[in-house]
Amino acid sequence: MRYRLLDRVKEQVKALLLGFYDVIPEVLLELTSLRSLLAASSQALLSLFDFQELELLLCGLPEIDIQDWKRHTEYTGDYERKGASHKVVKWFWEVVVDDFDEEHKARLLQFVTGTSGALAVPAQGFRALQGNDNNIRRFTINSIPETVSVFPKAHTCFNRIDLPLYDSKKKLRKFLTMAIQMEATGFDID
């Protein structure tokens, strides 16, 4: 097993990493302005970032067309009947549009779909968003009772967020922000 997973491709991985570590310090220093870390090794610089932050650094923040995102979102559970007119769904979109900067929007997309940057949204827009099985899986907002969880939960294989039936926009903003920040820091909410 070790041979199949590691030893068989050892030289290829080594060459890939050498090239990666040749480029990554320059990219990180340009993007993060951490000039004082110049003396640090490439590996030490790289360890400052989790996989999601690294993806955002390498791919950049995506240009997210919010209107396209809203237009191609499906609603399930208690949100299905009223769709975008449901008060919690309205609050969700208000928070995304009015309160989230581009980085938070990208992190939300990353939280729900498992990817961000140029890879997050296909060239055809959100109507062509794919799940992990490469089938079209639209961004979906599903309702769950707040008694089940106060935090939104993501199902990245299905591009679905389980959004609790909050009783205030303030509460939605607080827990949605916490969820995407905890995901970014590697802490889990379960």
Side-chain angles (χ1 to χ4, degrees), residues 13-164:
V13 170
K14 183 179 174 183
L16 177 73
L17 288 174
L18 285 172
F20 184 75
Y21 289 130
D22 277 348
V23 173
I24 205 67
E26 294 173 30
V27 172
L28 292 178
L29 290 172
E30 282 178 27
L31 294 173
T32 62
S33 303
L34 298 174
R35 301 281 180 219
S36 62
L37 295 175
L38 254 172
S41 72
S42 303
Q43 290 84 352
L45 271 174
L46 194 55
S47 69
L48 294 173
F49 304 96
D50 65 25
F51 72 96
Q52 292 169 321
E53 291 168 325
L54 188 59
E55 180 184 9
L56 286 173
L57 284 171
L58 293 176
C59 297
L61 290 173
E63 289 185 30
I64 300 172
D65 181 343
I66 300 295
Q67 292 308 313
D68 182 56
W69 190 358
K70 288 167 91 171
R71 191 171 37 257
H72 295 100
T73 294
E74 294 179 352
Y75 304 95
T76 58
D78 286 358
Y79 302 143
E80 187 171 9
R81 193 169 61 80
K82 290 186 177 180
S85 298
H86 192 285
K87 73 176 181 179
V88 176
V89 173
K90 282 183 179 180
W91 293 337
F92 173 84
W93 289 116
E94 288 171 9
V95 167
V96 170
V97 172
D98 300 334
D99 300 341
F100 282 5
D101 60 14
E102 293 306 310
E103 181 180 352
H104 280 87
K105 290 172 187 169
R107 288 194 180 282
L108 172 62
L109 193 55
Q110 192 173 51
F111 175 70
V112 179
T113 66
T115 190
S116 67
L119 306 174
V121 183
Q124 307 91 334
F126 279 91
R127 68 180 167 85
L129 191 64
Q130 295 180 347
N132 289 351
D133 59 1
N134 293 324
N135 289 319
I136 301 295
R137 299 224 183 251
R138 296 228 172 144
F139 186 89
T140 303
I141 301 175
N142 179 58
S143 68
I144 58 171
E146 208 174 338
T147 55
V148 171
S149 175
V150 294
F151 289 101
K153 293 186 177 230
H155 302 274
T156 57
C157 293
F158 306 105
N159 299 329
R160 187 180 88 207
I161 184 170
D162 289 345
L163 190 65

